Amino acid sequence: MAKTKNKSLAGFSEKTSDFILVAICLVILLIVAYPLYYVLVASFSNPYEVYAGKTFLLPSQFTLDGYKAVFADDSIITGYMNSILYTVLGTIFSVVMIYLTAYPLSIKNLPGRKFISIFFIITMYFGGGLIPTYLVVKDTGLTNTIWAIFIPGGVAVGNMIIVRNFFENSIPKEMIEAAKIDGASQWTTFIKIMVPLSRSIMAVMVVFSMVAYWNDWFTALIYLPGDERAPLPLVLRNILIKSSASAGQASTISGGYAELNKLTEMIKFSSIIVAAAPMLVFYPFVQKYFEKGFMAGAVKG
Amino acid sequence: MQKEKMVSGNQAVKLKQPPLKKRITSYWQLYAMLLIPVVITIIYKYIPMYGIQIAFRDYKASRGMWGSELVGMRWFERFFSSPNCVRMIKNTVLLSFYGLLWSFPIPIVLALMINQLRFMRFKRVVQTVLYAPHFISTMVICGMIRIFLSPSGGLINLIAGTSIDFLTEASAFRTIYIASGIWQDAGWGIIVYMATLSNIDTSHYEAAKIDGASMFQRICFIDIPELVPTIVLMLIMSAGNLMNVGFEKVWLLQTDLNKATSDVIAVYVYQQGIESGKYSYSTAVGLFNTVVNIILLVVVNKIASKISEDVSFV
């Protein structure tokens, strides 16, 4: 990069503007990161100290009681297990559906390609709405089964388009042609060439699907009533939104109301960390692919 | 399978390509791949669309979606004459409109700034941190909002030295909803713009530097023009969603006392439909919402395509 020191009309020298820019970015970083950091610190602190305004940067009266309580709570553990199950199954199902749809639609001379594409894209902008969908899910017998979590919303059209465009733009045509000449069927081409060559976009799809299923609770709220099948966020609703201690906690506490109240507050912080951590740990590994994915996908619609 | 072949056959007849039948049979594996996604989409997307007709019927479980008695516009009339109808429409539109107004420009500004960062490692750290809140569940976000706004020792009240219960103040609801929305998704929103900006040929920057352009000028004369088509496209998509206020966050942040501003159509549709079991009525209210949205989408798309020729939608 050329070292030019420009004092030009509308601005500062390169160095000054770099400095200002970095300073602004640091402020933004602070705004975004601090709330998360605060919850993290609070989760290791005595909640009364937190609410008294004594905890800003470091835990005060360090304790692991919040986490102990979270992992001793049966409903949270059940929710955690359910969330893991739904996330794993949902992600596999969703990514398979995306790939099965994206590959055929990326073949330019597939008869009916345009019609089928529009058939899928329409569902992005128009749908039956809450109740008609609910009734169809009910009529097809999915309500109260875990299939309801991922089959009705199984084809993620937006993601499918990103993958389709990736197939069209980022995989060399020669490779497909060469496979054809070697006598490979479309299925073989798909499995042996398209899937291995699209690992980067597949990583992005896996993360997107994982996040969607890990964080989803609305589907379960509607289709899976009952505590024993609730995913983690739905279990946390009692703690975070309704601010009530679960029956499990209440029965294990001997110290009376004050102690229970303290624990309820503590669990709020630690359960937030426990629920958010898995996804926050995962995404940085595939972050570099996000932009690539969007470049190949979203903008070209 | 059979059905798909017929459908695609009809389509392709217009192309008048002689070996069509051969082409279709030679692609049978591709059609087979599409089979499951197409069936799922028909059952869970298209049949519900057809099922919207219960908005004009008096749905009875025993008679089913297609057999229930037709009642015309009864449910729509009931909605429009319900006491909170105007309030709900107003709240939905305003929440969405203010949300768009505040949260639309921020990712653009962020992307322009981050794109100028020259220290690659710092740039990556900034991006990583900015993306983080997007990966957190609405449920957790709303839990955090409640913690931070708590009247007894919430961070906001600690800093301000007050003890206001913000979630019971109707006047604070929109600010809470929109500000937390920006905190969560503005960072993620930069991706689309960053992707576009990364397409810019770096030789433009070098040339501009040699000509003595400052960073600010480079942003104004190189970056912004490059971003305009993307911005227009994103604006169309957001404007077309103006009536789509999400159910989840409003439902979790609603209290009895902030309903004057937090009462929106999406929550009403849920309460009437799932909680009260008024299937037909709920569908009618939802349909009204959808129709307004589609009209908006078409209008905005028309306006946008008049403004710039090369931006089209879908």
Side-chain angles (χ1 to χ4, degrees):
Chain A
M1 222 171 262
K3 260 200 170 179
T4 44
K5 286 195 175 174
N6 303 308
K7 286 247 176 351
S8 46
L9 297 171
F12 310 97
S13 73
E14 282 297 295
K15 268 202 175 143
T16 329
S17 35
D18 271 343
F19 180 77
I20 296 173
L21 200 62
V22 170
I24 298 175
C25 285
L26 284 174
V27 172
I28 294 169
L29 280 189
L30 196 69
I31 295 171
V32 175
Y34 186 69
L36 293 170
Y37 178 77
Y38 179 82
V39 175
L40 182 69
V41 168
S43 72
F44 291 108
S45 307
N46 178 339
Y48 294 144
E49 297 282 305
V50 175
Y51 288 129
K54 288 177 188 161
T55 309
F56 287 108
L57 287 174
L58 290 170
S60 54
Q61 299 181 7
F62 183 89
T63 167
L64 288 172
D65 288 356
Y67 289 95
K68 279 183 199 150
V70 162
F71 289 111
D73 187 321
D74 286 342
S75 65
I76 293 181
I77 297 297
T78 311
Y80 222 94
M81 289 307 167
N82 286 338
S83 275
I84 291 174
L85 179 70
Y86 301 157
T87 305
V88 171
L89 291 179
T91 303
I92 294 171
F93 184 78
S94 179
V95 173
V96 169
M97 286 300 124
I98 288 171
Y99 264 68
L100 285 182
T101 318
Y103 175 58
L105 295 183
S106 74
I107 305 294
K108 285 259 154 55
N109 41 12
L110 177 77
R113 171 178 180 262
K114 195 162 184 205
F115 174 83
I116 302 169
S117 296
I118 293 172
F119 166 86
F120 281 110
I121 289 171
I122 285 176
T123 64
M124 286 174 79
Y125 300 100
F126 191 72
L130 183 68
I131 296 301
T133 309
Y134 171 80
L135 292 175
V136 171
V137 173
K138 203 169 153 193
D139 288 348
T140 48
L142 260 50
T143 321
N144 284 320
T145 70
I146 70 166
W147 303 105
I149 298 283
F150 46 89
I151 288 184
V155 187
V157 180
N159 289 345
M160 185 274 283
I161 291 174
I162 293 178
V163 177
R164 186 199 70 188
N165 290 356
F166 183 89
F167 284 157
E168 284 176 5
N169 303 323
S170 307
I171 293 191
K173 294 278 168 297
E174 299 77 33
M175 298 208 60
I176 303 171
E177 287 302 315
K180 214 182 202 175
I181 292 164
D182 287 350
S185 67
Q186 285 116 14
W187 177 252
T188 318
T189 315
F190 174 65
I191 293 293
K192 292 270 166 67
I193 296 178
M194 303 311 260
V195 174
L197 282 183
S198 63
R199 258 176 291 180
S200 63
I201 202 76
M202 189 186 275
V204 176
M205 291 303 127
V206 167
V207 171
F208 283 3
S209 309
M210 270 171 56
V211 172
Y213 286 107
W214 183 260
N215 289 338
D216 178 47
W217 50 273
F218 184 65
T219 322
L221 176 74
I222 293 181
Y223 298 127
L224 287 185
D227 290 340
E228 71 284 356
R229 270 178 306 206
L232 185 61
L234 215 47
V235 176
L236 295 187
R237 183 169 159 239
N238 290 327
I239 298 166
L240 294 174
I241 308 298
K242 293 181 179 167
S243 206
S244 59
S246 74
Q249 291 160 31
S251 61
T252 55
I253 291 298
S254 49
Y257 180 77
E259 202 54 26
L260 181 67
N261 194 39
K262 181 178 166 189
L263 199 68
T264 309
E265 293 305 316
M266 258 175 149
I267 285 187
K268 279 188 192 173
F269 294 110
S270 45
S271 64
I272 284 179
I273 298 298
V274 167
M279 293 303 122
L280 293 183
V281 169
F282 258 114
Y283 82 90
F285 292 104
V286 283
Q287 183 193 332
K288 60 180 168 180
Y289 300 122
F290 290 161
E291 277 161 40
K292 277 189 200 157
F294 272 85
M295 207 155 52
V299 180
K300 283 176 184 164
Chain B
M1 190 69 198
Q2 211 59 33
K3 197 173 175 187
E4 259 166 66
K5 272 186 189 170
M6 272 164 50
V7 169
S8 41
N10 287 339
Q11 269 283 309
V13 166
K14 290 171 205 151
L15 302 171
K16 285 190 182 155
Q17 282 183 353
L20 176 70
K21 245 187 189 157
K22 228 178 174 180
R23 266 169 65 213
I24 292 178
T25 40
S26 75
Y27 282 123
W28 73 269
Q29 289 184 329
L30 297 184
Y31 293 116
M33 289 168 77
L34 283 167
L35 185 64
I36 297 173
V38 165
V39 168
I40 288 179
T41 305
I42 290 174
I43 295 178
Y44 294 107
K45 301 288 175 189
Y46 281 89
I47 294 180
M49 284 184 214
Y50 187 61
I52 286 176
Q53 55 177 283
I54 64 169
F56 305 96
R57 292 176 184 272
D58 186 7
Y59 178 81
K60 294 270 185 300
S62 54
R63 302 181 65 181
M65 286 168 102
W66 334 114
S68 297
E69 185 196 351
L70 276 165
V71 294
M73 304 299 280
R74 186 206 286 175
W75 308 118
F76 293 92
E77 282 159 17
R78 181 170 296 179
F79 175 60
F80 290 124
S81 58
S82 73
N84 288 334
C85 165
V86 175
R87 187 172 87 170
M88 278 187 287
I89 296 173
K90 190 180 135 206
N91 283 340
T92 304
V93 173
L94 284 184
L95 193 59
S96 196
F97 179 72
Y98 289 140
L100 183 64
L101 206 62
W102 285 100
S103 47
F104 187 77
I106 292 177
I108 301 172
V109 177
L110 285 175
L112 288 170
M113 279 185 352
I114 292 168
N115 188 51
Q116 291 295 335
L117 286 175
R118 284 192 294 156
F119 320 103
M120 285 306 153
R121 190 165 284 179
F122 181 64
K123 185 176 169 182
R124 208 163 336 119
V125 171
V126 173
Q127 280 173 277
T128 308
V129 173
L130 283 183
Y131 296 158
H134 174 79
F135 293 92
I136 301 172
S137 170
T138 339
M139 186 68 78
V140 171
I141 297 284
C142 292
M144 286 173 67
I145 293 172
R146 280 175 184 263
I147 288 174
F148 284 104
L149 296 179
S150 160
S152 51
L155 191 63
I156 304 292
N157 276 316
L158 284 178
I159 292 170
T162 51
S163 54
I164 303 165
D165 192 355
F166 292 98
L167 284 171
T168 60
E169 305 276 339
S171 59
F173 177 77
R174 282 183 195 132
T175 313
I176 296 169
Y177 181 90
I178 293 167
S180 59
I182 292 173
W183 180 78
Q184 189 180 11
D185 275 322
W188 184 249
I190 72 171
I191 285 194
V192 149
Y193 302 111
M194 292 299 282
T196 314
L197 288 173
S198 68
N199 277 333
I200 297 177
D201 191 344
T202 45
S203 64
H204 289 320
Y205 290 126
E206 295 305 323
K209 270 185 194 170
I210 290 165
D211 289 345
S214 70
M215 183 189 287
F216 187 69
Q217 286 168 323
R218 292 201 300 273
I219 290 177
C220 287
F221 298 113
I222 302 177
D223 292 349
I224 292 181
E226 190 76 16
L227 276 188
V228 166
T230 312
I231 294 175
V232 175
L233 188 74
M234 298 305 284
L235 194 61
I236 296 172
M237 305 226 288
S238 327
N241 273 324
L242 206 58
M243 291 286 282
N244 273 350
V245 168
F247 160 83
E248 299 187 0
K249 225 171 121 185
V250 179
W251 191 58
L252 295 178
L253 293 178
Q254 196 172 63
T255 59
D256 287 337
L257 294 169
N258 67 16
K259 274 200 174 144
T261 48
S262 71
D263 197 12
V264 299
I265 295 176
V267 173
Y268 190 64
V269 167
Y270 170 81
Q271 285 165 343
Q272 295 295 314
I274 303 289
E275 285 177 359
S276 312
K278 295 179 191 163
Y279 292 153
S280 284
Y281 180 55
S282 168
T283 306
V285 179
L287 179 59
F288 162 73
N289 199 36
T290 310
V291 168
V292 176
N293 224 346
I294 288 176
I295 293 171
L296 275 172
L297 190 74
V298 172
V299 170
V300 175
N301 199 27
K302 276 261 162 61
I303 296 171
S305 62
K306 275 215 173 105
I307 295 169
S308 76
E309 297 273 306
D310 51 305
V311 175
S312 78
F313 185 51
V314 179

